[in-house]
């Protein structure tokens, strides 16, 4: 069982940066692929970024490549999402997710989810 708690959301202006954190419980954090998803009002939850358990490989949605960076610190059981040059259309609840094994981009593959953190980008 893995419990995930996100933090770091808030209200920022367009072009600003935010860093989200997701703290995980459990002693086998390094064996889990981690991902960030987001869900805007009235829209489906969508993939943002993912990282392998070892941290060696990362994956991004095309819309965030070059602006967002996912990373993890397995000693701290924490995964991060550095978001730069934020846009108003990226206003959403951002969720952290975990699954054993390989990183994927589908919400259906992830077993464990955090409660989400709100990111609001004003124009």
């Amino acid at each position: 069982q893995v419990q995930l708690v996100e933090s770091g959301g808030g209200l920022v202006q367009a072009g600003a940066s935010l860093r989200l954190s997701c703290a995980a419980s459990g002693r086998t954090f390094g064996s889990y692929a981690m991902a960030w998803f987001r869900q805007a009002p009235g829209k489906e939850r969508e993939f943002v970024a993912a990282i392998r358990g070892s941290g060696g490989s990362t994956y991004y949605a095309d819309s965030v490549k070059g602006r967002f960076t996912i990373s993890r610190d397995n000693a701290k059981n924490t995964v991060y999402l550095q978001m730069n040059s934020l846009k108003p259309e990226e206003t959403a609840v951002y969720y952290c997710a975990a699954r054993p094994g390989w990183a994927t981009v589908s919400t259906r593959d992830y077993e464990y989810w955090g409660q989400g953190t709100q990111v609001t980008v004003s124009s």
Side-chain angles (χ1 to χ4, degrees):
Q1 189 76 10
V2 177
Q3 292 183 324
L4 305 173
V5 179
E6 303 97 333
S7 61
L11 171 63
V12 297
Q13 291 188 330
S17 298
L18 273 178
R19 188 175 82 154
L20 305 182
S21 300
C22 174
S25 64
R27 295 175 293 177
T28 59
F29 179 69
S31 67
Y32 285 83
M34 301 296 296
W36 289 95
F37 292 80
R38 64 189 179 191
Q39 187 167 19
K43 295 189 176 181
E44 292 188 354
R45 194 168 297 188
E46 66 174 1
F47 170 76
V48 176
I51 187 167
R52 289 182 61 181
S54 64
S57 296
T58 56
Y59 310 89
Y60 297 94
D62 288 343
S63 60
V64 306
K65 282 181 181 176
R67 299 185 298 117
F68 289 15
T69 303
I70 188 171
S71 62
R72 65 191 297 160
D73 184 339
N74 287 348
K76 295 182 177 180
N77 279 20
T78 302
V79 63
Y80 306 97
L81 184 67
Q82 177 67 43
M83 306 185 293
N84 299 329
S85 302
L86 281 161
K87 304 174 182 179
E89 55 266 36
E90 294 179 311
T91 293
V93 177
Y94 283 70
Y95 296 92
C96 174
R99 70 180 302 271
W102 299 105
T104 72
V105 303
S106 173
T107 58
R108 291 173 292 185
D109 294 334
Y110 287 82
E111 297 181 30
Y112 304 103
W113 292 84
Q115 82 288 349
T117 185
Q118 177 71 46
V119 172
T120 303
V121 185
S122 64
S123 57

